[in-house]
Amino acid sequence: MTGLGKKVLASVLAITSSTMFAPLALAEERPGITVAVNKLPRALDPGDQTGTVDVRVYYSIFDTLIRRDFITPAADGGTRLLPGLATSWERINPTTLEFKLRQDVTCHDGNPFTADDVVATFSPERLRGAGSFYPKGRIYFSHVAEVQKVDDFTVRFVTERPDLVLEHRLSSYTSFIVCDEALNAFRKDGVEAALWLDEAAKALRWNPVGTGPYKFKDYQKNDRVTLVSHDDYFEGRPSAESITFREVPEVSARIAGVVSGEYDIAVEVPPDQWAVLDRYDDVTMKTVTLDNSHVLVFNTQHPQLQDKKLRHALSLAIDRQKLIDGLWKGQTFTPKGHQLPSFGPMYDSDRAGYVFDPEKARQLIKESGYDGEEIVYRLIPGYYLNNVKTAQAIQEMWRDVGINSKLMFVESFKKVREEDTMIYAWSNTYRIPDPTGALIANWGPNASTQRKYKYFQPAPAFNEMADRLFGMDNMAERRDVFTEMLDIFEDDMPMTILYNPLVSFAMNNRVDWTPYSLFFMDFRPSNFTLRTDG
C-alpha cells in the first residue's frame, strides 16, 4: 500500500473508530500508575536492545504477529501460541508460513497497520540480511529468504529450509513490529541503507512507533520513561491512562514507595524482604521463576583460563543448592544444562548438567597446573538480583578448594567485557522454548560471545550443528543433534549456570497484573486491570 493509500485508510478508520468508541469520551478519567525499576532501559529500540531492563518497558509499546501464552502450558510441556497482530497462520508448504493480519489495528502515529509494516520490520537491510543493520536479528532470522506481501493483510515468510519453530521465533525477541512510515521517513534515494537506518535508529530509539497498548511520551535519563494509553488498541482501551517507569536503584526505596503508595509496582524484591511486605494488607506479592539463568562467563582465551580443567574446577566448586537455599528460600532450581522443560520434545531430562563436586575440583586444579594466581570475577552490583551476595559466597567456595579470587565491581557491561576480563556475571534468557533461541542465541556462531568477544571458540562441529538445527524437519533428530551440542558445550566449559532467579513484584492491591517467566511486563487489557474504586 502506498503512503497515500495508508493515509486514506487511516482517515476511514479514524472516522469509524470515533463512531464506535464515542461513548468512551464520557467515561471518568483514568489514573496512571508508576512502576519502580532498578534501572531504566538503554533504549526503546527492539532491534538493538534485548536486555532485561529494555524488554520489560517496550513490550507494551510493540506487538508481535504471534504472542506466547505464559499462563497455560502446552500438553507436551512446551508453550502455547496465541494470535497477536496476526489473526491466524498456516503452513503453506514446509518452507512457507502465511499470516492473516488484523484489519483493526492503528499505529501510534495514526497510520493503519498493514502488511507493509511487517515487510519493513523484517527487511534484509534492517534485520535478517547478511549485512543487516541490527546483527541480533540475524541470530533469529538469517534463514528467512523472503517476507512477501500477498495483499494488504496477508504476508508470507519463506525460509531457506524448514523451520519447525518459526512461529515461536515470531513471538519473541527482535520480532516486534515497527510501523513502516516512521521508519521510512528517513529513507533517502541513493543513500546506503546502513546510513539512513543509522539516522532512523538514533531518532526513534527514544521516540518509538509501534502498535502496542501504550505509546511513548517522554524519557529523562536516570529518572523515568513515561508511556501513555493508546486508546485505539485492538484489545480495547488500556486500564491506566499512563505508565511511568521510575528508576529506583535501592531495593529499600522501592519497597518503601509501594508501602507509601508512591509506586504502584516495585520490581525485583528479594526473598529476604518478603516477610516485611507480608505485614501490609494493601500490598500484594507475585513471584515467578524466570526462563533465564544467572551464569558465570569464563573467558577461554585468557591465559589463566585457557586450560579447561581449571574452568571445570571453578564450576564444580560451586554449591548451587546452598545458594538457592540461602538466597532464594529454596524455591528455584538449576537447569539440567542450557535447556528448560518448556522445550517440550527437545528437552533432555536425563542430563546431569552443572554439578557440585569439590573433591573433583581439587583434583582438576592440581592437574591444570594452577599455582594460586589471582582470578578476577567482575560484576555490576545490583544489576542482577542477589548478584553481590552470590559472588561473595562463590568466592568462599573457590577459596575452600584452593582458588584465589578477587571480586571487581564495575559500573557497566563495557567494563565487564574489557579485553582482559577473566570471569563475569551475566544471564542467559531462553527467549523461545528451543535451543535456537537459547543456547544458540547466546553462544552460537552469530552470538556476541563468539563473534565479537571470542570468549567461546568451539570446534567447527558445534557451529555446524547449530546451523543444522534451523533446517531439520524431524524433531527427534533435532533433539539428538542438540544433545550432542550440549555435550560439546559442557565439555568446553565457556560458562557455568548458577540457577534461574526467582523474581518478585510488590504491588498495590488496586493493581491486577500477572508477571511472566520472561522479562516482559505486559500491560495489555488481557493481563492488566486497575481498580479505581479506592
Side-chain angles (χ1 to χ4, degrees):
M1 181 180 290
T2 65
L4 178 59
K6 290 191 79 170
K7 287 182 171 63
V8 171
L9 183 53
S11 299
V12 172
L13 290 178
I15 294 170
T16 304
S17 297
S18 66
T19 303
M20 290 175 63
F21 298 105
L24 293 179
L26 302 176
E28 65 180 67
E29 184 176 345
R30 292 163 292 165
I33 66 166
T34 300
V35 181
V37 299
N38 55 319
K39 189 175 180 62
L40 290 178
R42 294 163 292 182
L44 298 175
D45 185 338
D48 183 33
Q49 301 296 347
T50 58
T52 309
V53 299
D54 313 303
V55 297
R56 69 182 171 202
V57 175
Y58 68 60
Y59 191 71
S60 293
I61 297 175
F62 299 97
D63 287 304
T64 49
L65 293 173
I66 302 173
R67 293 184 58 210
R68 178 171 163 184
D69 181 355
F70 288 93
I71 308 300
T72 311
D76 64 358
T79 56
R80 297 173 64 243
L81 295 173
L82 303 170
L85 287 173
T87 57
S88 64
W89 52 94
E90 177 186 5
R91 292 272 179 166
I92 302 299
N93 58 53
T95 59
T96 305
L97 182 61
E98 181 177 278
F99 291 89
K100 296 296 183 182
L101 307 179
R102 293 186 184 275
Q103 300 186 32
D104 57 347
V105 178
T106 305
C107 291
H108 296 161
D109 59 5
N111 286 299
F113 163 73
T114 69
D116 293 325
D117 301 297
V118 180
V119 172
T121 297
F122 292 95
S123 68
E125 62 264 29
R126 178 182 180 272
L127 201 67
R128 59 184 172 82
S132 62
F133 182 78
Y134 294 115
K136 290 177 182 176
R138 299 196 291 270
I139 294 174
Y140 304 92
F141 299 111
S142 63
H143 65 306
V144 174
E146 291 182 83
V147 180
Q148 301 170 346
K149 174 183 175 180
V150 179
D151 58 44
D152 284 342
F153 296 102
T154 307
V155 292
R156 288 179 177 175
F157 282 73
V158 181
T159 55
E160 295 170 351
R161 297 161 288 169
D163 180 359
L164 296 182
V165 292
L166 180 59
E167 292 91 338
H168 277 288
R169 239 180 282 291
L170 290 166
S171 74
S172 192
Y173 288 66
T174 75
S175 65
F176 295 96
I177 303 299
V178 299
C179 291
D180 75 311
E181 292 211 347
L183 182 68
N184 286 330
F186 297 90
R187 186 186 293 269
K188 297 178 178 65
D189 292 339
V191 175
E192 291 183 9
L195 296 177
W196 71 261
L197 279 166
D198 181 63
E199 184 180 353
K202 289 174 180 175
L204 297 174
R205 68 195 306 262
W206 292 115
N207 191 23
V209 181
T211 62
Y214 287 88
K215 52 189 176 182
F216 176 78
K217 180 183 179 183
D218 63 38
Y219 161 72
Q220 182 64 48
K221 187 177 181 180
N222 300 325
D223 181 33
R224 69 179 186 276
V225 171
T226 303
L227 312 180
V228 294
S229 172
H230 178 41
D231 287 354
D232 291 331
Y233 189 58
F234 65 85
E235 272 192 19
R237 192 175 75 148
S239 190
E241 178 66 30
S242 64
I243 302 176
T244 299
F245 294 87
R246 182 80 63 182
E247 184 167 303
V248 186
E250 295 297 324
V251 170
S252 59
R254 296 200 295 274
I255 292 173
V258 169
V259 170
S260 70
E262 181 181 4
Y263 310 132
D264 296 279
I265 302 176
V267 309
E268 299 202 8
V269 177
D272 61 9
Q273 296 298 310
W274 293 353
V276 174
L277 288 163
D278 281 344
R279 303 172 192 165
Y280 298 94
D281 293 336
D282 58 348
V283 175
T284 299
M285 287 287 298
K286 290 193 177 181
T287 300
V288 63
T289 301
L290 291 177
D291 292 346
N292 170 274
S293 295
H294 284 188
V295 308
L296 295 184
V297 176
F298 302 141
N299 181 2
T300 63
Q301 304 306 300
H302 194 284
Q304 288 178 232
L305 294 177
Q306 284 183 334
D307 191 325
K308 70 179 179 182
K309 290 182 179 180
L310 182 57
R311 301 197 297 270
H312 274 268
L314 288 161
S315 178
L316 289 163
I318 299 172
D319 187 343
R320 292 160 183 81
Q321 192 59 50
K322 188 173 183 178
L323 295 176
I324 290 168
D325 292 341
L327 299 175
W328 304 99
K329 294 187 179 294
Q331 295 187 32
T332 189
F333 67 99
T334 299
K336 294 182 176 182
H338 209 292
Q339 56 169 354
L340 294 177
S342 61
F343 283 22
M346 290 293 287
Y347 182 62
D348 179 7
S349 60
D350 296 328
R351 180 164 293 274
Y354 298 90
V355 300
F356 173 53
D357 189 339
E359 287 307 314
K360 187 172 182 180
R362 294 185 183 98
Q363 174 189 336
L364 291 175
I365 288 169
K366 291 179 182 178
E367 293 177 7
S368 73
Y370 172 73
D371 61 3
E373 63 267 26
E374 188 174 74
I375 292 176
V376 180
Y377 173 170
R378 300 187 188 193
L379 66 154
I380 306 170
Y383 188 89
Y384 300 119
L385 195 60
N386 278 335
N387 69 341
V388 173
K389 292 179 180 179
T390 295
Q392 291 168 339
I394 290 174
Q395 186 179 35
E396 291 301 315
M397 294 171 188
W398 285 344
R399 181 178 291 118
D400 184 59
V401 298
I403 294 172
N404 173 27
S405 64
K406 171 187 175 182
L407 301 183
M408 178 183 291
F409 300 115
V410 298
E411 68 276 10
S412 68
F413 273 107
K414 183 177 181 180
K415 292 288 185 182
V416 159
R417 295 177 175 129
E418 286 182 339
E419 188 174 347
D420 63 342
T421 193
M422 299 175 70
I423 299 173
Y424 69 85
W426 192 35
S427 76
N428 281 190
T429 298
Y430 304 82
R431 298 173 179 184
I432 66 172
D434 186 80
T436 55
L439 177 65
I440 295 173
N442 289 292
W443 293 93
N446 285 316
S448 60
T449 45
Q450 277 202 54
R451 177 177 43 80
K452 183 176 181 180
Y453 302 111
K454 305 187 186 308
Y455 298 140
F456 178 42
Q457 298 292 283
F462 180 88
N463 286 342
E464 290 167 4
M465 286 186 284
D467 182 63
R468 283 176 60 199
L469 279 188
F470 278 87
M472 298 182 69
D473 59 4
N474 182 293
M475 196 63 82
E477 292 176 2
R478 287 183 87 241
R479 184 180 181 275
D480 290 342
V481 171
F482 174 48
T483 299
E484 190 174 348
M485 288 184 68
L486 284 177
D487 290 342
I488 295 172
F489 187 70
E490 291 172 11
D491 178 67
D492 212 350
M493 195 63 69
M495 56 141 270
T496 190
I497 295 178
L498 303 178
Y499 45 68
N500 280 26
L502 194 71
V503 176
S504 297
F505 300 82
M507 62 193 78
N508 186 288
N509 280 348
R510 71 175 182 148
V511 174
D512 185 1
W513 172 79
T514 300
Y516 292 163
S517 58
L518 288 182
F519 292 104
F520 306 147
M521 294 190 76
D522 185 3
F523 291 103
R524 286 164 178 78
S526 55
N527 192 58
F528 167 63
T529 56
L530 187 63
R531 289 183 287 274
T532 58
D533 55 8

